[in-house]
Amino acid sequence: MTTSSEDRLTPDQLRTLFLFEALSLEQLDWLADRGRVERWDAGEVVYREGEPATCFYVLLGGALSLHRVLHGDDVEVNRTDQRGVYSGATRAYLGDRVEQTYPHTMRAVSDAEFFVLPADEFAWAIRTWFPMALHLLEGLFFGTRAANAIVNERERLLALASLSAGLTHELNNPAAAALRATAGLRERVTGMRHKLAMIADGRVDGAGLHRLVGLQDDAVRHAAAGVSMTAMEAADAEDTVSDWLEEHGVARAWDLAPSLVAAGIEVEWLEGAARTVGSEHLDAAVRWITYTIDTELMMGEIDDSVERISELIGAARQYSQLDRAPLQIVDVHALLDATLTMLQAKIPKSVRVVREFDRDLPSIPAYGAELNQVWTNLIVNALDAMPDGGTLTLTTWREDKRLLVEIADTGVGISDEVRPRIFEPFFTTKQVGEGTGLGLDISYRIVVNKHHGDLRVSSRPGDTRFQVCLPIEQESTDQAPEAPGRTYGDGQPSS
């Protein structure tokens, strides 16, 4: 950095900066006397985040970039070469009521020149020259900060409550199934113990026991193989098996037939069993086999339920990314699948979900938890647009060095009047109390500012598409990233 006491701006030169163009000559003279010109070489740090905010900077020439440290990572949040833009001690007029530190780090991207005003001088000018504006700025700053804190906290709590409710609902089904199967399994094991008592009394000799165990093993193999039947076919088969059992003196045949049919046991198999154990032991043998089949089926149900619970917990972990580094190499499809799992309870039966994923796409460097927030916002908006049902389509593909994720719905669409404003903070088309208007603004900032990507939308009734465009490789902070505007289907940036 270099400065020169002779190299100061004249009042006429200061007036060419949009920030000062409406000031009086006396005010421009005051600024010219107290300000200075500083020059910084490309790559130099002008000031660092967290340092005392001692100066107010106005860009005269060159390019600058602003950076924030988020979760230990240096993230570029803005880059510009527009003459007259300002940064630094912008809140000095608030005095001691606000911590006066630099909120970010500013670097010179190219050789840059600044008009620099000490923070206390800048604060005096604002308080003295614009007393009414000062009150408005103070009210806006403190009021907005308080409102944002409440709204953001409410938004997070509502999102957490919604996801928690959905996850609880999804976990309840397999957990309840496992409990039911466990209770039934306990009953069947009790029945098997009673039959073992019969064997211990000597009612079945050793040879008969071997034959019975052989039938048991064969029944287990049938149960493991499973059988596919329609409801009508199963009812007919149960009637046939029940009739056969009753004809052969087996009590409560109607209670045993469903389990036997579910395992694929037919009359032919039962006739073979009768020949193997003899008619005198057929009732006990059939009940023993039925207990065995029920036990196998219930253990299978418990296994499926526990596996489902494990999958849901894995999806929750993938969604939250709590055990991951903030910036990591992520599989976008895994993030999308986890988000859909977490939102399963919010997806009505009238909405069909279609995944058209290019599974050959590479993993990319990204902030996984933040991207999951983007998917959540876009999917929930799509569902809200289809109150009467429709199709939600998630598509991924590659374009050159970028990976694209498209979330499309067949809902009512976004009108041409509303579309240019959908990314504005606090703008919402939902009823009062149903939306904060922050979802798409947050999504835009995550995609564009944090990932150097783009978020686009095109819409007509029955076909609305949000496209998230992400770089496949991490871009160097030494090179200016592509800075697309907010686009709305026609490819033109917003004003």
Side-chain angles (χ1 to χ4, degrees), residues 1 11 34 44 51 67 76 81 137 181 288 293 301 310 314 324 366 376 396 427 452 461 472 487:
M1 184 266 293
R34 288 160 176 79
E44 283 191 291
E51 293 178 346
H67 300 253
E76 182 179 308
D81 60 358
L137 288 172
W288 174 272
I293 291 172
E301 186 175 353
S310 179
R324 309 291 179 86
T376 300
T396 62
F427 177 80
H452 298 164
I472 291 178
T487 54

Side-chain angles (χ1 to χ4, degrees), residues 174-188 294-295 297-303 305:
L179 286 174
R180 288 193 301 269
T182 302
L185 184 61
R186 184 175 291 109
E187 294 179 2
R188 299 306 185 274
D294 285 344
T295 300
L297 294 176
M298 289 175 183
M299 286 192 297
E301 186 175 353
I302 293 172
D303 185 61
S305 299

Side-chain angles (χ1 to χ4, degrees), residues 64-76:
L64 61 84
S65 62
L66 301 180
H67 300 253
R68 292 285 308 277
V69 176
L70 299 175
H71 302 289
D73 296 306
D74 184 271
V75 179
E76 182 179 308

Side-chain angles (χ1 to χ4, degrees), residues 2 12 35 67 79 136 174 181 255 260 359 471 489:
T2 59
D12 289 338
H67 300 253
R79 182 178 292 218
L136 292 173
D255 195 26
L260 295 171
R359 297 288 183 177

